[in-house]
Amino acid sequence: MVSFVTARPAPHAAGTICSAVPVGRKFLNTHTKKQTDMDPSEVEFLAEKEMVKIIPNFSLDKVFLIGGDLGPFNPGLPIDVPVWLALNLKQRQKCRIIPPEWMDVEKLEEMRDLERKEDMFTPVPSPYYMELTKLLLNHASDNIPKADEIRTLVKDIWDTRIAKLRLSADSFISQQEAYAKLDNLTLMEINTIRAFLLDTLNCMYKLRSNVQ
Amino acid sequence: MFIADIRKDFYEVVANQRVVLLVAPDIDALCACKILQALFHCDQIQYTLVPVTGWQDLGTAFLEHKEQFRYFVLINCGANVDLLEMLQPDDDSIFFICDTHRPVDVVNVYNDTQIKLLIKQDDDLGVPSYDDIFRDEDEEGEDSGNESDEGSEPSGKRRRFDEGAVERRIERQRAKREWEARRREILFDYEQYEYHGTSAAMMFFELAWVLTKDTKDMLWWAIIGLTDQWVHDKITNMKYVTDIATMQRHVSRHSHRNEDEENSLSIDCMRISFEYDLRLTLYQHWSLYESICNSCYTSCSFKLWTLNGQKKLQEFLADMGLPLKQVRQKFNSMDMSIKENLRDVIEESSNKYGMKDIRIQTFGVHFGFKNRFLASDMVHATAALLESAEKDDSETDTFIKALDALSRSNIDRLHSGIELAKKKLIAIQQTVASCICTNLILSQGPFLYCYLMEGTPDVKLFSKPMALTLLCKYLLKAFVLSTRNKRCKLLPLVMAAPKDVEKGTVIVVGIPPESETSDKKNFFGRAFEKAAESTSSRTLHDHFDTSTNNAENRFLDGKLFLKFPERERCE
């Protein structure tokens, strides 16, 4: 049984279990309605800031961007760049993407087995493992060996964790617990349950307060 | 001017410019356009894509864009006319022409500044040499200058000089007349036949290869472009086989990368493979029986429009041991045991029935679990989409739809194209059968002639040039096999179909006679021009293929006046 102590989501999460900061047009359109959800595409956008290794086939001097410096690029030499740049270069056939270390069949199999054994959430390979898998396997599957198996394994890990999350949320609500501790949850997983959980808790509160 | 280094003289020139792409409506041009678009996307070159259906469209598009753009890339149009005279461009417009139409107009070849031809020079062009056609006019000016100088000499000397000068002048004029006669003959020989050269898609794939930006998608498009030339009978068998060998080298280079890793590639990656597959059109997306009935090769060999032919077909199927029930259902649902050796079994049996070439070298693609296509399937599907006779689709819409069908992400569109192609093939076979059975093909002296009346079913399909040309070829093949008249077997065929009922126009197509060793050279371009002159009916030589043109109904009355010079008739 999961024990709920405090709410402490995984690092890099832009939101807590309470409502996230409304972003962009959503804020303008729905300022009368309570914003309790992040769009999955927004989560993917945040995931694209992660770094990944590429091997470029062009050369370019150091580039100074607001978010940080990139480069210099030399053909044939590996370099770390954010995922958004890696995907753009890959689509323009200017680089080869090297899969991250955790995207390996044996390691993922171990993680999946560990996840199935444990009751608690096990540490994740990367705080954005689901988004990175989807992005890299959709655009660069020819650079990643055994891409189909990796996709299946990551989906297995995701399914197990979401099942655990559902179970915990169910017991949280039915047993009317006051607080919950959620280690090692990624933003995407939190996002799937956020709207439902908050609405339910609000309804429960209204029901309880009306009874009195 | 022919371009020597396509990377330096073409790609790097347009690299930082905005270009206009003017694309003709055939599948080879669509594939070439796709390859070029992919290259432009990689390097973020801005371009405007304008589909053009004929010379008028080309002129209009040029006028619209000539203010803003300097560089024009013409795909499968423009090489066989004097482009500068037709378009009257400013001096700084530059045209890059990648066209399979031959012969290339001599002005285009010898213009050094504005016209750049993206054509390989070893492509069997036979261009007359410069001195045979163009002559410096300065010689004349100098001589007449000398004469006027001599005229100011004192009269005594002048008489002597005069005789010499007069003789020289007569000599020069005679030489000039001889030279002009020879020039006319050379040009006539050069321009009388129309034929096709290497596929434009293959040219652009080579560009991509030189830039090392070639992907499997581009390779597949190049293969489709080449197959389009074979399906629509534009190149000889020899050339097709040679080009297939070239493509095979690229295919093995790309597949080599797959097999290198012991970890296999994702199933979603594109795999291209060389196939020695059957010549049955669309058989993997249809039932085997339908495919045999509607493919030109088998239908003509069996003569399926006769009762005898139907019986022979049943014998053929029985000979192979294929139960009728299996053969009539969708190919994918046939028993695995039958599908395994199908190709060899069919080849063996078809040899007995006189079909020696039932198998053809081609390529197939395979991505995902469900999607397998042969190159010819793609060509038929895209052609059907390009020429679909929907009422509310303009020609640009059909062009864009056909272009979309070539991408891997638009499989639905491709499947709808395959369905349209099936309908088109069925319509062609039925029309061929009815034409042969009702003797609609008339022998008009030097050629055969057939006119599709307005009420014929599916006649709307045949108001488009590619579909009509396909019908024409099938019809000629079928006719040659079914007629007993030896002389008729060697005649070319002219076919007309109504194009626009309200305006009363027809579309006319002419194809050379059917022969085993045909070199696919078509002389109808010139013949139609002459016929139009002699009947004074309005014709619109609008299509890029000179063997197709639109005409008034009155043109057909003039068919009696179609005379061909003796030389052409012997082909």
Side-chain angles (χ1 to χ4, degrees):
Chain A
M1 191 33 74
V2 201
S3 78
F4 297 97
V5 177
T6 50
R8 190 163 58 83
H12 296 299
T16 62
I17 205 87
C18 313
S19 29
V21 176
V23 180
R25 54 181 166 79
K26 277 239 166 105
F27 180 61
L28 293 169
N29 285 343
T30 63
H31 59 277
T32 50
K33 204 165 65 172
K34 235 201 287 195
Q35 173 70 21
T36 57
D37 213 357
M38 269 178 95
D39 198 68
S41 50
E42 290 163 357
V43 182
E44 191 185 66
F45 181 74
L46 292 169
E48 284 178 348
K49 275 170 56 173
E50 293 292 300
M51 303 298 264
V52 76
K53 224 184 222 352
I54 64 162
I55 300 183
N57 61 17
F58 61 100
S59 62
L60 190 61
D61 288 333
K62 213 163 185 190
V63 180
F64 302 100
L65 304 176
I66 291 177
D69 299 342
L70 293 174
F73 296 89
N74 293 307
L77 296 180
I79 186 172
D80 278 326
V81 292
V83 168
W84 57 267
L85 183 61
L87 292 179
N88 180 282
L89 290 177
K90 173 74 187 165
Q91 283 171 332
R92 289 162 59 189
Q93 290 167 254
K94 286 184 162 8
C95 76
R96 200 163 73 87
I97 294 188
I98 297 180
E101 278 158 7
W102 53 265
M103 209 179 263
D104 172 60
V105 174
E106 281 102 22
K107 293 208 183 105
L108 287 174
E109 272 178 357
E110 273 175 31
M111 276 187 242
R112 179 194 59 178
D113 296 333
L114 186 61
E115 191 73 46
R116 285 179 177 169
K117 267 198 321 221
E118 291 281 323
D119 282 343
M120 302 275 285
F121 297 101
T122 57
V124 276
S126 149
Y128 293 102
Y129 71 98
M130 191 64 188
E131 301 91 297
L132 286 182
T133 313
K134 173 190 167 270
L135 286 169
L136 292 179
L137 289 179
N138 279 354
H139 294 125
S141 58
D142 48 339
N143 291 149
I144 299 175
K146 295 200 182 163
D148 295 332
E149 286 159 10
I150 289 177
R151 210 191 284 258
T152 321
L153 286 167
V154 168
K155 186 83 171 62
D156 285 343
I157 296 176
W158 167 267
D159 285 340
T160 318
R161 290 168 70 90
I162 290 290
K164 282 189 206 169
L165 189 57
R166 272 201 292 265
L167 215 54
S168 322
D170 184 47
S171 66
F172 180 62
I173 294 172
S174 57
Q175 291 170 19
Q176 298 175 19
E177 302 272 350
Y179 23 58
K181 171 177 172 176
L182 300 150
D183 288 346
N184 300 323
L185 265 189
T186 63
L187 180 57
M188 199 64 153
E189 289 154 359
I190 297 175
N191 201 42
T192 56
I193 206 165
R194 177 182 294 130
F196 168 73
L197 194 57
L198 295 181
D199 278 343
T200 325
L201 292 173
N202 284 337
C203 285
M204 297 285 292
Y205 176 70
K206 274 194 218 143
L207 291 172
R208 248 181 281 144
S209 52
N210 281 341
V211 162
Q212 282 147 16
Chain B
M1 183 174 102
F2 289 105
I3 281 201
D5 182 350
I6 195 171
R7 170 170 38 183
K8 205 159 46 84
D9 298 328
F10 166 59
Y11 200 67
E12 287 175 11
V13 169
V14 299
N16 296 321
Q17 311 285 341
R18 292 160 63 213
V19 247
V20 179
L21 294 181
L22 296 160
V23 186
D26 66 87
I27 311 300
D28 186 27
L30 255 66
C31 294
C33 173
K34 276 287 246 220
I35 296 179
L36 201 56
Q37 277 183 313
L39 284 176
F40 283 171
H41 287 160
C42 279
D43 288 317
Q44 297 178 331
I45 298 176
Q46 295 179 320
Y47 65 94
T48 303
L49 173 63
V50 185
V52 289
T53 46
W55 298 116
Q56 284 187 339
D57 250 357
L58 183 61
T60 327
F62 176 71
L63 286 174
E64 278 174 24
H65 291 102
K66 72 173 183 183
E67 306 292 321
Q68 304 153 355
F69 292 87
R70 253 188 79 197
Y71 293 97
F72 294 83
V73 179
L74 278 72
I75 304 186
N76 268 2
C77 51
N80 47 355
V81 289
D82 187 352
L83 205 61
L84 295 179
E85 198 184 303
M86 197 177 80
L87 297 179
Q88 303 283 337
D90 301 327
D91 283 335
D92 56 352
S93 299
I94 303 215
F95 297 89
F96 293 98
I97 307 183
C98 181
D99 192 350
T100 55
H101 290 105
R102 306 275 183 273
V104 183
D105 193 279
V106 286
V107 177
N108 290 343
V109 173
Y110 289 116
N111 177 305
D112 278 338
T113 48
Q114 287 186 277
I115 308 245
K116 319 268 180 192
L117 294 168
L118 300 172
I119 298 176
K120 281 210 266 234
Q121 267 192 281
D122 49 329
D123 209 8
D124 179 29
L125 290 166
V127 182
S129 68
Y130 184 79
D131 295 324
D132 284 342
I133 317 178
F134 298 108
R135 183 186 213 170
D136 284 333
E137 291 303 313
D138 291 345
E139 290 174 20
E140 303 292 315
E142 273 173 33
D143 291 332
S144 49
N146 280 341
E147 283 170 19
S148 58
D149 276 346
E150 287 167 358
S152 59
E153 295 273 341
S155 47
K157 274 195 206 162
R158 204 174 89 185
R159 212 169 292 126
R160 254 185 293 134
F161 276 131
D162 257 356
E163 284 171 13
V166 163
E167 272 179 30
R168 272 201 301 270
R169 199 157 21 128
I170 296 179
E171 185 61 40
R172 266 198 305 275
Q173 281 176 353
R174 196 168 56 82
K176 186 170 167 211
R177 271 197 297 274
E178 265 181 27
W179 179 84
E180 287 199 345
R182 212 161 34 102
R183 172 180 186 268
R184 265 198 300 273
E185 199 183 309
I186 290 179
L187 275 182
F188 179 77
D189 276 340
Y190 180 59
E191 291 175 355
Q192 63 172 327
Y193 291 105
E194 181 201 59
Y195 59 105
H196 289 265
T198 316
S199 146
M202 278 175 61
M203 271 309 294
F204 284 121
F205 178 73
E206 273 211 27
L207 169 64
W209 181 41
V210 163
L211 296 167
T212 59
K213 291 208 164 94
D214 55 325
T215 59
K216 289 203 191 119
D217 279 304
M218 292 187 198
L219 177 56
W220 181 236
W221 290 325
I223 291 175
I224 297 178
L226 170 62
T227 314
D228 166 60
Q229 287 194 314
W230 176 73
V231 165
H232 290 106
D233 224 14
K234 291 185 184 165
I235 54 176
T236 60
N237 262 335
M238 273 306 305
K239 183 151 174 57
Y240 176 68
V241 169
T242 322
D243 287 343
I244 288 271
T246 320
M247 288 284 108
Q248 166 65 355
R249 284 198 284 273
H250 289 292
V251 165
S252 25
R253 182 170 53 91
H254 277 270
S255 324
H256 183 58
R257 282 191 212 145
N258 299 357
E259 311 312 325
D260 243 359
E261 312 168 20
E262 29 170 31
N263 317 311
S264 54
L265 224 47
S266 159
I267 195 78
D268 285 328
C269 285
M270 192 181 216
R271 288 172 166 79
I272 305 179
S273 52
F274 177 78
E275 311 265 347
Y276 191 38
D277 214 335
L278 299 169
R279 226 184 195 184
L280 304 170
T281 342
L282 293 178
Y283 79 98
Q284 286 175 356
H285 304 274
W286 219 348
S287 69
L288 194 59
Y289 185 76
E290 293 271 347
S291 180
I292 295 181
C293 290
N294 291 313
S295 302
C296 165
Y297 187 66
T298 42
S299 152
C300 290
S301 309
F302 285 128
K303 298 206 195 104
L304 285 177
W305 53 87
T306 57
L307 272 178
N308 236 345
Q310 301 277 350
K311 274 195 229 154
K312 262 171 93 177
L313 175 60
Q314 309 284 355
E315 276 174 31
F316 175 68
L317 292 172
D319 186 54
M320 289 193 291
L322 298 176
L324 260 181
K325 208 167 128 201
Q326 286 287 328
V327 157
R328 278 188 197 261
Q329 55 175 320
K330 270 182 80 74
F331 186 78
N332 287 332
S333 332
M334 274 172 67
D335 274 347
M336 275 310 295
S337 53
I338 299 183
K339 275 199 277 191
E340 262 161 28
N341 291 343
L342 190 64
R343 291 184 209 169
D344 297 319
V345 163
I346 290 191
E347 186 174 14
E348 228 182 273
S349 295
S350 51
N351 273 332
K352 291 187 215 160
Y353 283 81
M355 297 189 283
K356 305 277 177 204
D357 295 321
I358 192 89
R359 283 174 90 159
I360 190 77
Q361 298 179 352
T362 184
F363 291 96
V365 77
H366 172 211
F367 48 91
F369 286 104
K370 260 200 322 177
N371 303 310
R372 288 186 41 119
F373 298 101
L374 288 177
S376 53
D377 299 343
M378 305 272 316
V379 169
H380 280 109
T382 325
L385 281 172
L386 188 60
E387 297 197 326
S388 70
E390 302 279 326
K391 275 224 159 58
D392 33 347
D393 273 347
S394 74
E395 279 167 349
T396 320
D397 286 336
T398 50
F399 182 91
I400 298 293
K401 281 196 185 145
L403 204 61
D404 282 342
L406 288 172
S407 306
R408 261 195 293 156
S409 41
N410 291 331
I411 297 294
D412 299 333
R413 190 143 280 173
L414 188 61
H415 281 299
S416 73
I418 290 184
E419 297 302 313
L420 283 176
K422 288 183 196 171
K423 289 199 197 123
K424 182 168 121 176
L425 284 169
I426 295 180
I428 289 181
Q429 288 309 123
Q430 286 175 346
T431 317
V432 166
S434 74
C435 282
I436 302 256
C437 293
T438 57
N439 284 327
L440 267 182
I441 306 183
L442 312 164
S443 165
Q444 293 281 341
F447 60 93
L448 298 167
Y449 174 73
C450 181
Y451 176 52
L452 289 181
M453 309 293 288
E454 269 161 40
T456 325
D458 302 314
V459 80
K460 275 216 201 70
L461 271 177
F462 301 123
S463 62
K464 309 276 178 173
M466 279 205 292
L468 188 59
T469 318
L470 217 54
L471 173 64
C472 209
K473 291 189 205 290
Y474 286 14
L475 190 55
L476 186 58
K477 229 188 217 163
F479 180 74
V480 160
L481 286 168
S482 67
T483 183
R484 265 174 267 178
N485 188 333
K486 282 230 162 54
R487 199 185 72 92
C488 285
K489 293 199 196 206
L490 301 171
L491 296 179
L493 173 63
V494 172
M495 189 136 189
K499 184 174 172 73
D500 193 334
V501 182
E502 294 127 41
K503 295 188 203 157
T505 50
V506 293
I507 175 171
V508 186
V509 159
I511 57 171
E514 170 77 16
S515 80
E516 289 289 323
T517 53
S518 134
D519 53 0
K520 314 283 179 205
K521 293 201 178 184
N522 196 321
F523 49 81
F524 275 98
R526 298 268 163 261
F528 282 153
E529 278 172 20
K530 287 198 196 126
E533 281 167 24
S534 55
T535 60
S536 67
S537 63
R538 279 175 302 157
T539 56
L540 193 57
H541 296 267
D542 196 39
H543 295 273
F544 297 123
D545 281 327
T546 52
S547 58
T548 315
N549 66 6
N550 300 339
E552 278 189 318
N553 276 334
R554 221 159 30 101
F555 180 72
L556 302 174
D557 300 332
K559 60 191 184 287
L560 299 166
F561 295 117
L562 268 173
K563 289 195 178 68
F564 305 112
E566 277 306 311
R567 219 188 315 189
E568 291 168 344
R569 252 215 290 159
C570 294
E571 278 301 316

